[in-house]
Amino acid sequence: MFVPGILISIATFPGVIVHELAHQLFCRLFKVPVFEVCYFRTENPVGYVLHEPAPKVYQTVFISVGPFIINSLLCFVIGFSAALQFKFNSANILDYLLMYLAISIGAHAFPSTGDANSLWNAVVKSKTTSWLSKIVVIPIVGFIYAGALGSFFWLDIIYGGAVALGLPYLIIKFLV
């Protein structure tokens, strides 16, 4: 059964919001001016951050992959707290809501193809970027496109579930 991406984004809207907040956070961290932010809408793209180009390559990379870092971290922390309750058979409705939130956030960890295009144009196509920077960034862009392709096969939802539930389960299993 084919489910359009916009329906998935609506069902997992907290992850979209955190994804855009992560881009904005890294812009603010590097003092890159932000012109416009849309945290969520029911059009494509479902969210975006328009900002000035970052002055340094590493800043461009972090702004582009910021959602992978922030969303993955939040997904794990929120998922771990809920997974503890599941482990001890004391889960309640709040724990199920936390797990939904964690998986929603984790499902939007992958940078978008728009993020990959920005990274490609700002670093790889730039005549002023060093060849070493280009060598480092090309595989990152490739992984972003692979993640986008994988979302057709629900890789993003699987990733969110693995980070929110699978990883905490393994940690709890070995610690408790």
Side-chain angles (χ1 to χ4, degrees):
M1 173 171 86
F2 175 72
V3 180
I6 194 75
L7 293 178
I8 296 295
S9 294
I10 290 169
T12 59
F13 73 93
V16 175
I17 294 168
V18 173
H19 180 105
E20 301 312 331
L21 280 168
H23 284 307
Q24 188 178 23
L25 173 71
F26 278 97
C27 285
R28 298 283 187 230
L29 183 69
F30 297 127
K31 296 180 177 29
V32 173
V34 173
F35 304 125
E36 184 180 348
V37 180
C38 175
Y39 296 110
F40 184 77
R41 64 186 187 159
T42 56
E43 302 169 32
N44 195 8
V46 291
Y48 59 86
V49 176
L50 298 177
H51 58 85
E52 199 170 275
K56 308 250 189 245
V57 170
Y58 77 91
Q59 294 170 333
T60 303
V61 171
F62 274 105
I63 291 169
S64 294
V65 302
F68 188 77
I69 298 165
I70 301 298
N71 286 48
S72 296
L73 183 63
L74 282 175
C75 175
F76 173 75
V77 169
I78 295 168
F80 190 83
S81 66
L84 278 173
Q85 301 308 313
F86 293 139
K87 169 69 176 169
F88 297 111
N89 296 323
S90 61
N92 58 33
I93 189 72
L94 179 60
D95 298 308
Y96 286 96
L97 286 171
L98 284 173
M99 191 53 70
Y100 154 76
L101 182 63
I103 293 171
S104 295
I105 291 171
H108 290 279
F110 294 129
S112 67
T113 55
D115 300 328
N117 290 338
S118 295
L119 199 53
W120 184 266
N121 290 330
V123 178
V124 179
K125 288 179 86 177
S126 173
K127 291 180 172 45
T128 60
T129 305
S130 72
W131 63 270
L132 182 60
S133 295
K134 292 178 184 192
I135 288 172
V136 169
V137 167
I138 288 172
I140 294 171
V141 172
F143 284 122
I144 293 172
Y145 277 115
L149 178 64
S151 71
F152 182 76
F153 302 102
W154 299 77
L155 178 64
D156 44 2
I157 301 292
I158 292 167
Y159 176 81
V163 174
L165 195 56
L167 188 58
Y169 174 78
L170 290 174
I171 291 170
I172 293 167
K173 182 175 172 128
F174 290 110
L175 293 179
V176 178

